[in-house]
DNA sequence: CTGTTAGCGCCTTCAC
DNA sequence: GTGAAGGCGCTAACAG
């Protein structure tokens, strides 16, 4: 089905049929105002008839630029990245640029490979949605011949323009809230290989240490894609290690959903006997029974901004490296008690 | 930040530094065994030092082929497609091919644009994860110079190799099950612009018509991205139109989750007073309270097969057009009563 | 094992 | 408003 196929129609084929030179056909496509209307229309019809599709490889090679952006995300199972991706799309949608995604599977190696691939393609711009291998990718980025936007944690030095959020501070706020609600044995459930999750764990641990309530047995993670089922499993595991657990901070809302279901099955009354705090404020958080207390990150906006930065810098303007900080918000709903006092 | 950058390192640059000709460097990368070990190593070091990254455009142009697959999905908000994408990845992961995704937003126009873009890039193969514009895309596909795998509904004539599932039959089975459980006023909730959803609606309607229970007021859709919140909204709307509704068939599990939450808030007892059936058997279906009755499609397998077909046909072997039919399974859990009789 | 020659399909630059 | 010449960076085909 491959090699033996009919050769594809080229610009030259169209030009010959039109009785003009190749460059004229090329102009019809790129600078139509430079070709006389009648000739232009005739060529346009011919292009349609012959099913001509320009070859991007040749175009990119000759013009030395490309009009697709590459967006790398570490995972497709986490909804958080989907919201992020939608933000990028929204901004890029009615520009002349196209988007292509790739998945790095939370792997530094894969991230490097994908960045190399994008660079190989002379991509117009790259968004690194979740930076896994900071050091190792930085080298590549410095050599990149296109704008690169990184989404990172506050306080991280980046080689490129960055959109930064403070995961550690967000986790601190959530943990403090659980303490303020009077919970004392607060577990943390998460996904092991997730870099951003690690920062959240740090924030959580810091607060509990200060309160003298820290215990490694409270922390449970699993090295697998996040899921609601994982939330159930991790809760059972945590309760085995520390049966007195009275609240859970989940590194994402999918886990929190599972925790709620499992807690209900175990007869825990939420929020009276048992508090739950999620992370990301996904769509279902508001409609759960009870609605989920969670941390909201401006995921869509982060994506939108990333797309915007890319478009602006790809426009040809030189842009200096900058870092855009975006905040978080703790959304207090009904899976946590009202704070005491 | 863009144009004014330093030129990127080329194959020729490396060759000059190594004191060899360009082709030798090229061989080191593609056919290393054809270059003497010592020279090979020297060149490899140089490539590393100089940060040389091959230009895919030039490579694709010269060799007339490309090693990335394009995967088009109609939506990123539906988890069903994520499972599908994961299947494709799993198969492709340790081949020499790479994957790039694009989102068509349930739009025929966008689908055509994206297919054109992929063709422009001389993509090694294309997977159309959810076919929106059958007729219009078929023309393009016939001209495609690479293997194309379509995921379609059974009974649809395709221009390319296809993986087919029978959404209408699956919806019929689900609706019959609800009838067998003794529910009589069965609503259907869905997403408006979804082609596959349309087929499911047909299956549902057919069964209810046969049972003499069909009523257009039972069908409620919304023209927006699917969500759990939408499930809540649609249920309220449906109950307004027909307060006697005693069961709901949801076109996906996210809607079903919202329906369960909303039904619980409205004091409906599930499954005794109120039955719910979902679609897709997503991760959370087994752990809900009660667990969700739903239709399972082999989404991961569909993706895996698509990837497999692509790899096999891209290998150079000519493959004849074929259609692979995959089945569905009705998973009876506890959001529906036990069938009478 | 290494090199030479030619050209992929298009765009840039400069003529007319 | 249109065209001719040359080259983008790489690889196929053929030499040696």
């Amino acid at each position: 089905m491959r090699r033996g196929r009919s050769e594809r129609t080229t610009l030259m084929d169209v030009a010959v049929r039109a009785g003009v030179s190749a460059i004229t056909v090329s102009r019809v496509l790129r600078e139509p105002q430079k070709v006389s209307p009648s000739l232009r229309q005739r060529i346009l019809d011919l292009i349609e008839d012959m099913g001509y599709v320009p070859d991007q490889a040749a175009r990119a090679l000759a013009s030395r630029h490309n009009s697709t952006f590459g967006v790398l995300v570490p995972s497709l199972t986490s909804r958080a990245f989907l919201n992020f991706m939608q933000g990028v799309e929204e901004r890029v949608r009615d520009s002349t640029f196209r988007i292509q995604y790739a998945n790095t599977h939370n792997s530094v190696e894969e991230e490097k490979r994908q960045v190399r691939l994008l660079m190989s393609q002379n991509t117009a711009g790259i968004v690194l949605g979740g930076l896994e291998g900071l050091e190792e990718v930085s080298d590549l980025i410095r050599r990149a011949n296109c704008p690169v936007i990184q989404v990172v944690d506050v306080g991280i030095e980046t080689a490129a323009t960055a959109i930064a959020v403070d995961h550690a501070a967000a986790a601190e706020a959530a943990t403090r809230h659980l303490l303020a609600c009077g919970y004392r044995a607060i577990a943390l459930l998460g996904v092991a290989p997730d870099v951003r999750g690690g920062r959240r764990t740090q924030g959580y641990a810091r607060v509990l240490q200060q309160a003298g309530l820290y215990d490694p047995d409270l922390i449970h993670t699993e090295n697998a894609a996040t899921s609601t089922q994982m939330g159930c499993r991790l809760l059972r595991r945590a309760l085995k290690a520390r049966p007195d657990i009275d609240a859970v901070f989940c590194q994402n809302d999918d886990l929190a959903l599972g925790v709620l279901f499992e807690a209900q099955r175990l007869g825990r009354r939420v929020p009276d006997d048992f508090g739950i705090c999620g992370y990301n404020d996904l769509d279902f958080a508001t409609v759960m029974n009870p609605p989920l207390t969670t941390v909201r990150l401006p995921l869509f906006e982060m994506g939108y901004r990333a797309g915007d930065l890319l478009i602006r810098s790809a426009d040809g303007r030189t842009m200096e490296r900058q870092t855009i900080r975006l905040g978080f918000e703790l959304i207090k709903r009904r899976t946590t008690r009202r704070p005491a006092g």
Side-chain angles (χ1 to χ4, degrees), chain A:
Chain A
M1 193 166 208
R2 298 281 19 292
R3 329 271 180 186
R5 274 285 181 84
S6 57
E7 294 303 311
R8 64 187 273 175
T9 309
T10 72
L11 196 60
M12 195 56 192
D13 298 337
V14 179
V16 169
R17 280 270 291 271
V20 299
S21 73
I23 188 64
T24 303
V25 180
S26 176
R27 284 198 183 109
V28 166
L29 261 17
R30 295 175 301 112
E31 312 167 291
Q33 73 289 355
K34 290 195 174 178
V35 178
S36 69
S38 62
L39 180 54
R40 187 197 311 159
Q41 192 52 54
R42 199 155 59 78
I43 293 178
L44 244 20
D45 291 345
L46 224 37
I47 286 174
E48 180 68 26
D49 280 2
M50 302 175 70
Y52 167 68
V53 182
D55 183 324
Q56 288 294 336
R59 183 174 269 191
L61 184 57
S63 71
R64 285 88 159 290
H65 77 289
N66 196 326
S67 61
T68 72
F69 290 140
V71 178
L72 251 57
V73 293
S75 147
L76 287 172
T77 44
S78 152
R79 294 233 195 177
F81 288 106
L82 295 186
N83 288 347
F84 176 82
M85 289 157 86
Q86 280 158 29
V88 182
E89 293 221 349
E90 185 63 25
R91 178 61 186 89
V92 172
R93 195 192 296 226
D94 44 30
S95 73
T96 58
F97 292 95
R98 311 278 77 204
I99 299 179
Q100 290 190 329
Y101 299 100
N103 180 353
T104 66
H105 299 277
N106 284 303
S107 145
V108 179
E109 272 319 302
E110 188 59 21
E111 186 173 38
K112 281 164 65 184
R113 283 172 65 179
Q114 296 283 4
V115 170
R116 279 213 195 80
L117 179 65
L118 289 173
M119 288 171 60
S120 296
Q121 292 176 163
N122 263 309
T123 305
I126 299 176
V127 178
L128 297 174
L131 200 60
E132 302 307 310
L134 188 72
E135 295 300 321
E136 323 190 37
V137 177
S138 293
D139 281 350
L140 281 175
I141 288 174
R142 263 182 277 273
R143 280 172 179 150
N145 195 22
C146 68
V148 178
I149 315 294
Q150 295 179 209
V151 177
V152 295
D153 209 276
V154 160
I156 290 180
E157 282 303 313
T158 57
T161 288
I163 294 177
V165 289
D166 199 336
H167 289 286
E172 284 184 25
T175 312
R176 275 206 205 88
H177 174 64
L178 289 169
L179 283 176
C181 292
Y183 302 108
R184 281 298 167 262
I186 304 171
L188 179 137
L189 308 184
V191 179
D194 177 1
V195 176
R196 290 150 297 286
R199 304 281 294 192
R200 297 197 278 270
T201 304
Q202 287 168 26
Y204 153 90
R206 203 175 305 146
V207 171
L208 282 201
Q209 268 154 0
Q210 281 168 9
L213 293 168
Y214 179 78
D215 174 0
D217 275 355
L218 287 168
I219 300 181
H220 294 268
T221 61
E222 202 171 298
N223 192 343
T226 193
S227 72
T228 307
Q229 290 183 32
M230 187 193 291
C232 299
R233 277 198 302 274
L234 286 174
L235 177 58
R236 286 195 300 268
R237 227 173 75 191
L239 285 172
K240 211 169 206 170
R242 283 278 305 254
D244 62 321
I245 285 170
D246 62 359
V248 172
F249 175 37
C250 299
Q251 288 202 348
N252 67 60
D253 288 352
D254 289 297
L255 293 176
L257 181 63
V259 166
L260 176 65
F261 286 139
E262 192 67 21
Q264 287 171 342
R265 271 192 288 276
L266 294 171
R268 297 288 202 284
R269 291 185 312 150
V270 176
D272 304 311
D273 301 340
F274 194 83
I276 304 174
C277 179
Y279 202 91
N280 284 338
D281 194 28
L282 297 186
D283 139 66
F284 54 78
T286 51
V287 296
M288 286 165 59
N289 289 325
L292 182 68
T293 292
T294 188
V295 176
R296 178 186 295 164
L297 294 185
L299 296 164
F300 184 93
E301 186 188 354
M302 287 159 64
Y304 193 93
R305 294 282 206 112
D308 191 61
L309 287 168
L310 233 38
I311 286 177
R312 261 112 80 57
S313 39
D315 250 6
R317 298 192 265 279
T318 298
M319 284 186 73
E320 56 221 32
R321 200 158 70 63
Q322 56 178 307
T323 297
I324 295 179
R325 272 187 77 141
L326 295 177
F328 63 88
E329 193 182 349
L330 178 63
I331 314 280
K332 297 169 189 164
R333 296 203 185 94
R334 306 302 311 139
T335 53
T336 48
R337 292 195 286 249
R338 199 146 311 161

